Amino acid sequence: MLRSATRTRWVRGVAWMAAVLLGAAGLTGYSAAATTASTAVSVNATGGLGQIPSNAIGLNTAVYDGHMNDPAIPGLVKAAGITALRYPGGSYADIYNWQTNVAQGGYDAPNTSFADFMKTAQATGANPIITVNYGTGTEDLAQAWVRNADVTNNYGITYWEVGNEIYGNGTYGANWEADSHCTDASGKPVTVGSAPSQTYNCGPATYAANVLKYITAMKAASPNIHVCAVLTTPGYWPDGVTNPTTSPQPWNQTVLSTLGAKTDCVIVHYYPGGSTAAAMLSTPDGIAGITSTLRSQISRYAGVDPAGVKIVVTETNSTIDLDTQPAALFGADMYMTWLEHGVTNVDWWNEHNGVGTPSMVNGAQDYGDQGIFSNGTNGSGVTEPR
């Protein structure tokens, strides 16, 4: 998503999450009532139920973030247990030209080029996840990026996604995502920043047909990469929505049916909401259903074994109490639940974001900042610590 850091205030990796869970188990203060029966419990502490992927704990970066590659960032990222970095940043990906380091109609901060990003990624040891420009780019531009990264520079970048939230291009009446494939009702091309609420000729069928071109071009440059297609998140808008003009069948059905056997990686985003902390903390319970539905759709519409298709969650965050304990607890539970159900990577939004709407949460200052690091900005009279 398009959202506009150096104190850590987030989930510090898998070890931190495990510590929270173990601590919770040991802090109950529970005293069992007397009972006449006894039960023996045997625990194999050396056994594991699954393996956490090497790029599981991810974080978004953005080319409009002037602090993206500050000298302190590699140490902070490593200390937080982050093992993947997504670039170039939400909706900016669909207006960004990696060769010129220019975002059409947007702002590129100094020292945020792909080369600058890769210096930070390599310093942290994190795996890059790259979103190529679908909205205003071409498959040739994407192919050149893959060749530069994985052939010329031998970066070994495995995960590449085709566009950001393309379903936000006006197909369903919301138009935050740039998409030069769209026209208005008269057939005139829609220019960046002038999209009407309803666009034409750029629904899921158009996206899927172009993704096939991107897959062919990008894998011609580096055959072992995963080229990931954007899907809607089951249970969240616009999942299941249709439009008689541009989307007679739901987005996921259309995209997966078109990709078929070439489906090897899919992308979803996860902003579950919740009007209260309690409601937010209960939302990870729905992740099992989301992943089950995705695999069912992959099997049914693409006709491939879903066990061989990577599921990647390239954006997520809480939506309330952003910088306080409830969001930290949500983050720990949410990450581990996604991983428990077999996703490859989950990327928090965002590295730096800035003050949003400050508030007090049970006596704690919430800055309304979706970033995990502070950029020291001020909003509504409240200044973040540096």
Side-chain angles (χ1 to χ4, degrees), residues 171-172 198 200 241-249:
T171 295
Y172 304 107
Q198 174 61 62
Y200 299 83
V241 178
T242 59
N243 180 315
T245 304
T246 56
S247 183
Q249 299 296 329

Side-chain angles (χ1 to χ4, degrees), residues 61-351:
T61 66
V63 293
Y64 53 80
D65 173 15
H67 297 283
M68 180 208 290
N69 299 302
D70 283 357
I73 291 301
L76 290 168
V77 167
K78 286 191 286 188
I82 293 163
T83 57
L85 293 172
R86 182 185 184 227
Y87 177 90
S91 295
Y92 258 63
D94 282 312
I95 59 173
Y96 181 70
N97 185 318
W98 74 273
Q99 292 178 325
T100 61
N101 193 37
V102 171
Q104 182 180 351
Y107 167 72
D108 293 294
N111 305 313
T112 61
S113 70
F114 177 57
D116 294 319
F117 164 78
M118 282 306 306
K119 290 177 183 177
T120 296
Q122 290 181 313
T124 64
N127 298 277
I129 295 174
I130 305 298
T131 312
V132 300
N133 185 340
Y134 172 83
T136 59
T138 65
E139 63 268 26
D140 291 337
L141 183 65
Q143 182 189 62
W145 200 346
V146 174
R147 183 177 293 113
N148 173 272
D150 288 353
V151 180
T152 303
N153 290 296
N154 198 30
Y155 290 146
I157 299 175
T158 301
Y159 289 91
W160 300 78
E161 55 181 333
V162 182
N164 186 56
E165 296 167 348
I166 306 302
Y167 45 77
N169 62 3
T171 295
Y172 304 107
N175 60 347
W176 68 84
E177 201 75 18
D179 188 350
S180 62
H181 306 87
C182 298
T183 68
D184 60 21
S186 67
K188 181 179 178 181
V190 172
T191 58
V192 174
S194 65
S197 60
Q198 174 61 62
T199 55
Y200 299 83
N201 303 313
C202 61
T206 298
Y207 173 70
N210 283 302
V211 169
L212 286 174
K213 297 177 182 178
Y214 274 73
I215 291 173
T216 299
M218 295 166 71
K219 290 201 172 189
S222 184
N224 295 322
I225 62 174
H226 292 292
V227 181
C228 309
V230 173
L231 297 184
T232 60
T233 305
Y236 293 85
W237 187 93
D239 176 55
V241 178
T242 59
N243 180 315
T245 304
T246 56
S247 183
Q249 299 296 329
W251 184 278
N252 289 4
Q253 178 177 346
T254 305
V255 172
L256 291 169
S257 297
T258 302
L259 297 185
K262 291 192 174 182
T263 306
D264 77 334
C265 179
V266 297
I267 299 291
V268 293
H269 288 175
Y270 181 66
Y271 293 94
S275 58
T276 65
M280 174 181 66
L281 290 170
S282 70
T283 55
D285 293 345
I287 289 174
I290 294 173
T291 54
S292 176
T293 299
L294 282 172
R295 292 190 177 96
S296 176
Q297 291 176 340
I298 291 166
S299 176
R300 179 179 180 184
Y301 300 126
V304 298
D305 182 358
V309 177
K310 303 294 186 181
I311 298 174
V312 185
V313 184
T314 55
E315 285 189 27
T316 186
N317 205 314
S318 62
T319 52
I320 62 171
D321 302 345
L322 298 176
D323 309 308
T324 59
Q325 290 176 339
L329 292 170
F330 162 79
D333 188 17
M334 179 272 300
Y335 263 83
M336 295 306 293
T337 304
W338 277 115
L339 297 174
E340 176 188 359
H341 290 283
V343 307
T344 297
N345 160 265
V346 182
D347 302 321
W348 193 264
W349 184 275
N350 196 18
E351 182 184 324

